[in-house]
Amino acid sequence: MSQFESISGFDRIRVVTPVFPHPRHPERGRFLANLTDAWRATARQIDVFSVETLGFRIKRALRPAQDVSQPGIKVTWAPTLGQPFGGVLPQRVRRRMRRYNHGRVVAAMTGAERGAFIYAKFISAGAMARKVSKITGEPYFVDLGESKTLLTGPKHILAERRAVMADATGVVCVSPRLRDEAIELGADPDKVQLMPNAPDPVLFHPRDRAACRAELGLDPEAFLALYVGRFSDRKGVLRVDAALKQMRTPVQVAYLGSGELKPDFAGKVFQGSVGHDQLPLWMNAADVLVLPTLAEGCCNVIAEAMACGLPVVSSDIDDIRWQVPAEGVVLVDPRDPAAIAAALDDLASDSDRLAGMRRALADRAALTDGDGRSMQVLKWIATTLDRSPSEKVCA
């Protein structure tokens, strides 16, 4: 039997990612921690390599540290400069800083023990994985979840992306758009796998709405809208705020997240970050998730809400249209607060429709394959490695 016919045979898996839960930012990259947590049963050791940018270290220096460690998972933080001042610096300076940043991660990885393969989350991490692979001989896989297109950017970035895609042992994509872009950039179509994001069914499933509201101390009768995400323009937190102010129907809202923008709707019942394990409680307490995002790959929050049977008002854009079913979701122009308000008013004034949407989403969730995305990805990686005898595998 090949060592990859069973996914229980991996000695060491290495992961490189720009985001991962940090002691001073526990919810950062939580979706990737969920993946590595699921993989723990299949490998003796999982080594994660991520970055601490200069800005992150300064901004979070005074935050209290929390224990985010997981048995069997070692995290190495490479101190980098990041990209201070955004696009203000000349391109040649930004290129040098990027090479320095990547070099810090590559140095950390090449100085550590080799693994069966390298898993890179996002194409920027794929560039680092490719450099390490050239040195160590480890095969690498890239998981694409970018919200923005990969087909535009400076020439040197596009050249780098083409090299990453061409040399990858396999590419996992969360949406058809990213699959098509990966192939256009040079990925072997036979080594590209479409796997949308999927929530953990142990956490995200329908629960009793009244009990969840009682636990959170919420009004049992109020129409409650829920926003989950960074308080940024792309995610649309202020467009939600503006829409709520235009609604004819009384409404309350909970804003779960953090960021530079500050919503100020008078009916706000909560604002701030919560632990990932608290999200299902809020999603089952709410009447609707509202997320007028401008760009997504495959939105984790929407997937989690639907798994809880929570109706969704979100954006009429390609990636969201592909992700969501016909029932249980209302799509609107994400830049139009009046359209968002109208959609919310329609739901708030029609309890029968809202209940029907909940039932449709709950029925859909009940039919979901119990084998979560994390293990589907790992099984596909094992199969791909088994088909690639020429790949040098280090353990």
Side-chain angles (χ1 to χ4, degrees):
M1 178 183 288
S2 163
Q3 65 172 314
F4 297 117
E5 286 186 36
S6 170
I7 61 172
S8 63
F10 292 115
D11 181 59
R12 183 183 301 272
I13 296 173
R14 305 218 290 171
V15 176
V16 57
T17 171
V19 291
F20 201 76
H22 187 280
R24 299 188 189 281
H25 196 343
E27 295 308 313
R28 179 176 181 251
R30 171 53 55 187
F31 59 91
L32 192 52
N34 294 338
L35 179 140
T36 55
D37 186 53
W39 284 5
R40 283 191 299 165
T42 71
R44 179 182 62 81
Q45 178 68 36
I46 297 177
D47 294 337
V48 178
F49 297 83
S50 194
V51 298
E52 283 182 329
T53 65
L54 177 61
F56 179 89
R57 295 195 298 276
I58 294 173
K59 184 177 180 180
R60 299 276 171 171
L62 299 180
R63 297 283 183 95
Q66 299 182 33
D67 182 9
V68 294
S69 61
Q70 297 171 291
I73 299 177
K74 177 185 176 183
V75 183
T76 298
W77 297 100
T80 66
L81 295 176
Q83 288 288 338
F85 311 112
V88 175
L89 296 175
Q91 187 177 108
R92 66 179 184 278
V93 176
R94 297 201 303 272
R95 288 184 68 172
R96 289 175 182 171
M97 294 176 70
R98 191 169 187 273
R99 283 197 297 269
Y100 171 84
N101 294 337
H102 282 204
R104 297 302 298 267
V105 178
V106 170
M109 294 187 71
T110 54
E113 292 188 58
R114 312 299 190 250
F117 64 87
I118 301 172
Y119 174 85
K121 183 61 183 180
F122 302 122
I123 201 165
S124 60
M128 293 180 268
R130 178 176 178 268
K131 292 177 181 177
V132 175
S133 176
K134 293 293 185 184
I135 298 169
T136 66
E138 294 163 281
Y140 72 91
F141 293 80
V142 185
D143 190 340
L144 299 178
E146 281 81 352
S147 58
K148 297 181 180 179
T149 179
L150 302 177
L151 302 180
T152 60
K155 290 182 179 179
H156 70 282
I157 295 293
L158 291 176
E160 177 184 82
R161 289 172 181 170
R162 284 191 287 269
V164 170
M165 292 291 97
D167 291 345
T169 305
V171 182
V172 180
C173 304
V174 301
S175 72
R177 170 183 64 83
L178 287 165
R179 175 197 58 198
D180 295 344
E181 291 183 0
I183 294 170
E184 186 169 343
L185 287 169
D188 182 345
D190 292 335
K191 294 184 178 181
V192 176
Q193 186 74 4
L194 177 62
M195 289 189 183
N197 292 332
D200 179 356
V202 175
L203 278 178
F204 294 94
H205 56 83
R207 307 182 189 185
D208 183 76
R209 177 172 169 271
C212 291
R213 289 204 175 195
E215 186 170 342
L216 292 168
L218 300 172
D219 185 334
E221 302 299 330
F223 181 78
L224 178 64
L226 180 68
Y227 173 93
V228 182
R230 183 157 182 79
F231 294 174
S232 65
D233 182 67
R234 179 173 74 85
K235 290 293 188 180
V237 66
L238 294 188
R239 293 189 295 279
V240 172
D241 217 52
L244 297 176
K245 293 172 183 177
Q246 297 180 37
M247 285 183 63
R248 303 183 309 274
T249 313
V251 59
Q252 295 182 349
V253 63
Y255 289 111
L256 307 189
S258 63
E260 63 277 8
L261 303 180
K262 305 299 181 187
D264 61 2
F265 178 62
K268 179 172 57 181
V269 296
F270 181 86
Q271 178 176 320
S273 298
V274 300
H276 192 252
D277 60 345
Q278 290 294 299
L279 281 183
L281 193 62
W282 282 97
M283 288 179 169
N284 278 281
D287 290 295
V288 62
L289 173 77
V290 54
L291 190 69
T293 176
L294 299 179
E296 293 292 333
C298 179
C299 183
N300 281 297
V301 167
I302 290 177
E304 291 164 348
M306 293 191 301
C308 291
L310 177 63
V312 175
V313 172
S314 191
S315 308
D316 191 8
I317 58 177
D318 288 346
D319 286 336
I320 299 297
R321 280 196 296 271
W322 175 79
Q323 181 182 358
V324 301
E327 295 182 320
V329 178
V330 178
L331 301 182
V332 298
D333 180 349
R335 297 184 182 275
D336 186 354
I340 300 169
L344 292 172
D345 268 323
D346 287 346
L347 295 179
S349 60
D350 192 342
S351 59
D352 289 340
R353 181 187 178 193
L354 202 60
M357 293 171 73
R358 289 196 197 99
R359 285 194 299 272
L361 291 173
D363 290 345
R364 181 174 182 268
L367 297 174
T368 300
D369 186 350
D371 194 5
R373 180 182 188 267
S374 299
M375 297 311 297
Q376 291 175 7
V377 169
L378 193 57
K379 288 179 179 179
W380 180 75
I381 288 174
T383 301
T384 303
L385 287 171
D386 197 39
R387 291 200 310 259
S388 306
S390 62
E391 297 286 358
K392 179 180 178 183
V393 180
C394 310

